[in-house]
mmCIF file of all heavy atoms in Angstrom:
data_model
loop_
_atom_site.group_PDB
_atom_site.id
_atom_site.type_symbol
_atom_site.label_atom_id
_atom_site.label_comp_id
_atom_site.label_asym_id
_atom_site.label_seq_id
_atom_site.Cartn_x
_atom_site.Cartn_y
_atom_site.Cartn_z
ATOM 1 N N SER A 1143 65.407 -46.645 17.235
ATOM 2 C CA SER A 1143 66.657 -46.355 17.943
ATOM 3 C C SER A 1143 67.881 -46.607 17.064
ATOM 4 O O SER A 1143 69.008 -46.393 17.495
ATOM 5 C CB SER A 1143 66.755 -47.170 19.235
ATOM 6 O OG SER A 1143 66.722 -48.542 18.953
ATOM 7 N N VAL A 1144 67.643 -47.039 15.842
ATOM 8 C CA VAL A 1144 68.735 -47.209 14.870
ATOM 9 C C VAL A 1144 68.305 -46.520 13.579
ATOM 10 O O VAL A 1144 67.185 -46.739 13.101
ATOM 11 C CB VAL A 1144 69.016 -48.709 14.594
ATOM 12 C CG1 VAL A 1144 70.049 -48.873 13.482
ATOM 13 C CG2 VAL A 1144 69.482 -49.406 15.870
ATOM 14 N N LEU A 1145 69.180 -45.668 13.052
ATOM 15 C CA LEU A 1145 68.875 -44.957 11.801
ATOM 16 C C LEU A 1145 70.052 -45.100 10.848
ATOM 17 O O LEU A 1145 71.184 -44.754 11.201
ATOM 18 C CB LEU A 1145 68.632 -43.461 12.087
ATOM 19 C CG LEU A 1145 68.515 -42.557 10.850
ATOM 20 C CD1 LEU A 1145 67.285 -42.924 10.005
ATOM 21 C CD2 LEU A 1145 68.456 -41.079 11.270
ATOM 22 N N VAL A 1146 69.766 -45.600 9.653
ATOM 23 C CA VAL A 1146 70.808 -45.698 8.618
ATOM 24 C C VAL A 1146 70.430 -44.733 7.493
ATOM 25 O O VAL A 1146 69.440 -44.946 6.773
ATOM 26 C CB VAL A 1146 70.936 -47.134 8.077
ATOM 27 C CG1 VAL A 1146 72.069 -47.204 7.048
ATOM 28 C CG2 VAL A 1146 71.191 -48.122 9.216
ATOM 29 N N ASN A 1147 71.195 -43.644 7.369
ATOM 30 C CA ASN A 1147 70.953 -42.644 6.329
ATOM 31 C C ASN A 1147 71.682 -43.076 5.064
ATOM 32 O O ASN A 1147 72.859 -42.755 4.848
ATOM 33 C CB ASN A 1147 71.444 -41.273 6.798
ATOM 34 C CG ASN A 1147 70.511 -40.653 7.805
ATOM 35 O OD1 ASN A 1147 69.296 -40.575 7.582
ATOM 36 N ND2 ASN A 1147 71.045 -40.206 8.938
ATOM 37 N N THR A 1180 67.639 -37.474 10.759
ATOM 38 C CA THR A 1180 68.270 -37.572 12.075
ATOM 39 C C THR A 1180 67.549 -36.674 13.077
ATOM 40 O O THR A 1180 67.303 -37.072 14.223
ATOM 41 C CB THR A 1180 69.763 -37.189 11.968
ATOM 42 O OG1 THR A 1180 70.365 -38.005 10.957
ATOM 43 C CG2 THR A 1180 70.484 -37.405 13.292
ATOM 44 N N GLN A 1184 65.945 -38.193 16.489
ATOM 45 C CA GLN A 1184 66.799 -38.058 17.673
ATOM 46 C C GLN A 1184 66.003 -38.050 18.984
ATOM 47 O O GLN A 1184 66.478 -38.593 19.983
ATOM 48 C CB GLN A 1184 67.725 -36.844 17.556
ATOM 49 C CG GLN A 1184 67.042 -35.498 17.349
ATOM 50 C CD GLN A 1184 66.597 -34.829 18.619
ATOM 51 O OE1 GLN A 1184 67.219 -35.025 19.670
ATOM 52 N NE2 GLN A 1184 65.538 -34.047 18.539
ATOM 53 N N MET A 1187 65.479 -41.410 20.341
ATOM 54 C CA MET A 1187 66.729 -41.987 20.860
ATOM 55 C C MET A 1187 67.110 -41.344 22.191
ATOM 56 O O MET A 1187 67.540 -42.034 23.123
ATOM 57 C CB MET A 1187 67.859 -41.806 19.833
ATOM 58 C CG MET A 1187 67.590 -42.492 18.504
ATOM 59 S SD MET A 1187 68.998 -42.323 17.384
ATOM 60 C CE MET A 1187 68.304 -42.954 15.857
ATOM 61 N N GLY A 1193 70.918 -44.915 21.081
ATOM 62 C CA GLY A 1193 70.729 -44.737 19.640
ATOM 63 C C GLY A 1193 71.973 -45.091 18.846
ATOM 64 O O GLY A 1193 73.097 -45.042 19.361
ATOM 65 N N ARG A 1194 71.738 -45.487 17.611
ATOM 66 C CA ARG A 1194 72.834 -45.801 16.683
ATOM 67 C C ARG A 1194 72.501 -45.138 15.352
ATOM 68 O O ARG A 1194 71.491 -45.497 14.718
ATOM 69 C CB ARG A 1194 72.961 -47.319 16.468
ATOM 70 C CG ARG A 1194 73.280 -48.120 17.735
ATOM 71 C CD ARG A 1194 74.767 -48.005 18.069
ATOM 72 N NE ARG A 1194 75.119 -48.790 19.229
ATOM 73 C CZ ARG A 1194 75.199 -48.302 20.478
ATOM 74 N NH1 ARG A 1194 74.930 -47.029 20.727
ATOM 75 N NH2 ARG A 1194 75.561 -49.075 21.473
ATOM 76 N N ILE A 1195 73.338 -44.189 14.945
ATOM 77 C CA ILE A 1195 73.133 -43.524 13.655
ATOM 78 C C ILE A 1195 74.296 -43.904 12.748
ATOM 79 O O ILE A 1195 75.464 -43.807 13.153
ATOM 80 C CB ILE A 1195 73.080 -41.988 13.843
ATOM 81 C CG1 ILE A 1195 71.906 -41.611 14.761
ATOM 82 C CG2 ILE A 1195 72.960 -41.286 12.493
ATOM 83 C CD1 ILE A 1195 72.000 -40.205 15.343
ATOM 84 N N VAL A 1196 73.971 -44.374 11.569
ATOM 85 C CA VAL A 1196 75.021 -44.748 10.606
ATOM 86 C C VAL A 1196 74.737 -43.997 9.301
ATOM 87 O O VAL A 1196 73.643 -44.093 8.738
ATOM 88 C CB VAL A 1196 75.051 -46.263 10.342
ATOM 89 C CG1 VAL A 1196 76.267 -46.613 9.480
ATOM 90 C CG2 VAL A 1196 75.081 -47.056 11.649
ATOM 91 N N ASN A 1197 75.726 -43.237 8.849
ATOM 92 C CA ASN A 1197 75.573 -42.435 7.643
ATOM 93 C C ASN A 1197 76.432 -42.992 6.516
ATOM 94 O O ASN A 1197 77.556 -43.432 6.741
ATOM 95 C CB ASN A 1197 75.995 -40.987 7.932
ATOM 96 C CG ASN A 1197 75.107 -40.338 8.970
ATOM 97 O OD1 ASN A 1197 73.884 -40.495 8.910
ATOM 98 N ND2 ASN A 1197 75.692 -39.629 9.920
ATOM 99 N N PHE A 1222 79.168 -34.050 9.362
ATOM 100 C CA PHE A 1222 77.857 -34.206 9.995
ATOM 101 C C PHE A 1222 77.914 -35.320 11.041
ATOM 102 O O PHE A 1222 77.466 -35.161 12.179
ATOM 103 C CB PHE A 1222 76.850 -34.536 8.882
ATOM 104 C CG PHE A 1222 75.452 -34.845 9.331
ATOM 105 C CD1 PHE A 1222 74.642 -33.869 9.898
ATOM 106 C CD2 PHE A 1222 74.923 -36.122 9.144
ATOM 107 C CE1 PHE A 1222 73.337 -34.162 10.291
ATOM 108 C CE2 PHE A 1222 73.630 -36.420 9.528
ATOM 109 C CZ PHE A 1222 72.840 -35.433 10.109
ATOM 110 N N THR A 1223 78.511 -36.434 10.661
ATOM 111 C CA THR A 1223 78.606 -37.602 11.549
ATOM 112 C C THR A 1223 79.397 -37.265 12.816
ATOM 113 O O THR A 1223 78.992 -37.606 13.943
ATOM 114 C CB THR A 1223 79.310 -38.760 10.802
ATOM 115 O OG1 THR A 1223 78.542 -39.087 9.645
ATOM 116 C CG2 THR A 1223 79.463 -39.987 11.689
ATOM 117 N N LEU A 1226 77.376 -35.027 15.121
ATOM 118 C CA LEU A 1226 76.338 -35.800 15.821
ATOM 119 C C LEU A 1226 76.953 -36.578 16.983
ATOM 120 O O LEU A 1226 76.376 -36.646 18.082
ATOM 121 C CB LEU A 1226 75.681 -36.810 14.867
ATOM 122 C CG LEU A 1226 74.836 -36.272 13.716
ATOM 123 C CD1 LEU A 1226 74.340 -37.439 12.861
ATOM 124 C CD2 LEU A 1226 73.668 -35.442 14.226
ATOM 125 N N LEU A 1230 75.464 -35.864 20.632
ATOM 126 C CA LEU A 1230 74.501 -36.870 21.103
ATOM 127 C C LEU A 1230 75.097 -37.952 21.987
ATOM 128 O O LEU A 1230 74.363 -38.762 22.560
ATOM 129 C CB LEU A 1230 73.790 -37.517 19.900
ATOM 130 C CG LEU A 1230 72.995 -36.551 19.006
ATOM 131 C CD1 LEU A 1230 72.433 -37.277 17.786
ATOM 132 C CD2 LEU A 1230 71.857 -35.897 19.794
ATOM 133 N N ILE A 1235 73.914 -42.159 22.450
ATOM 134 C CA ILE A 1235 73.740 -42.277 20.995
ATOM 135 C C ILE A 1235 75.105 -42.171 20.310
ATOM 136 O O ILE A 1235 75.857 -41.230 20.566
ATOM 137 C CB ILE A 1235 72.813 -41.153 20.469
ATOM 138 C CG1 ILE A 1235 71.450 -41.221 21.165
ATOM 139 C CG2 ILE A 1235 72.669 -41.241 18.950
ATOM 140 C CD1 ILE A 1235 70.579 -39.981 20.946
ATOM 141 N N THR A 1236 75.411 -43.119 19.448
ATOM 142 C CA THR A 1236 76.629 -43.046 18.652
ATOM 143 C C THR A 1236 76.282 -42.682 17.211
ATOM 144 O O THR A 1236 75.161 -42.926 16.751
ATOM 145 C CB THR A 1236 77.389 -44.383 18.640
ATOM 146 O OG1 THR A 1236 76.573 -45.362 17.992
ATOM 147 C CG2 THR A 1236 77.751 -44.836 20.049
ATOM 148 N N ALA A 1237 77.249 -42.084 16.527
ATOM 149 C CA ALA A 1237 77.087 -41.779 15.104
ATOM 150 C C ALA A 1237 78.388 -42.120 14.398
ATOM 151 O O ALA A 1237 79.462 -41.701 14.827
ATOM 152 C CB ALA A 1237 76.762 -40.299 14.908
ATOM 153 N N ASN A 1238 78.269 -42.907 13.348
ATOM 154 C CA ASN A 1238 79.443 -43.316 12.576
ATOM 155 C C ASN A 1238 79.105 -43.302 11.095
ATOM 156 O O ASN A 1238 77.926 -43.277 10.720
ATOM 157 C CB ASN A 1238 79.883 -44.727 12.998
ATOM 158 C CG ASN A 1238 80.453 -44.747 14.409
ATOM 159 O OD1 ASN A 1238 81.565 -44.293 14.646
ATOM 160 N ND2 ASN A 1238 79.673 -45.262 15.364
ATOM 161 N N ALA A 1239 80.148 -43.330 10.287
ATOM 162 C CA ALA A 1239 79.932 -43.325 8.830
ATOM 163 C C ALA A 1239 80.658 -44.485 8.173
ATOM 164 O O ALA A 1239 81.734 -44.887 8.604
ATOM 165 C CB ALA A 1239 80.415 -42.004 8.238
ATOM 166 N N PHE A 1290 78.291 -51.180 13.430
ATOM 167 C CA PHE A 1290 78.032 -49.844 13.985
ATOM 168 C C PHE A 1290 76.649 -49.775 14.646
ATOM 169 O O PHE A 1290 76.445 -49.020 15.596
ATOM 170 C CB PHE A 1290 78.105 -48.781 12.891
ATOM 171 C CG PHE A 1290 79.491 -48.336 12.525
ATOM 172 C CD1 PHE A 1290 79.796 -48.003 11.207
ATOM 173 C CD2 PHE A 1290 80.492 -48.191 13.478
ATOM 174 C CE1 PHE A 1290 81.064 -47.551 10.856
ATOM 175 C CE2 PHE A 1290 81.765 -47.741 13.133
ATOM 176 C CZ PHE A 1290 82.047 -47.425 11.813
ATOM 177 N N ALA A 1291 75.690 -50.536 14.117
ATOM 178 C CA ALA A 1291 74.312 -50.493 14.628
ATOM 179 C C ALA A 1291 74.109 -51.385 15.851
ATOM 180 O O ALA A 1291 73.040 -51.379 16.453
ATOM 181 C CB ALA A 1291 73.347 -50.922 13.517
#
Side-chain angles (χ1 to χ4, degrees):
S1143 60
V1144 174
L1145 171 64
V1146 182
N1147 285 310
T1180 306
Q1184 57 85 30
M1187 299 183 189
R1194 299 281 182 264
I1195 299 163
V1196 187
N1197 297 317
F1222 175 68
T1223 300
L1226 293 177
L1230 300 175
I1235 302 167
T1236 64
N1238 291 286
F1290 279 145

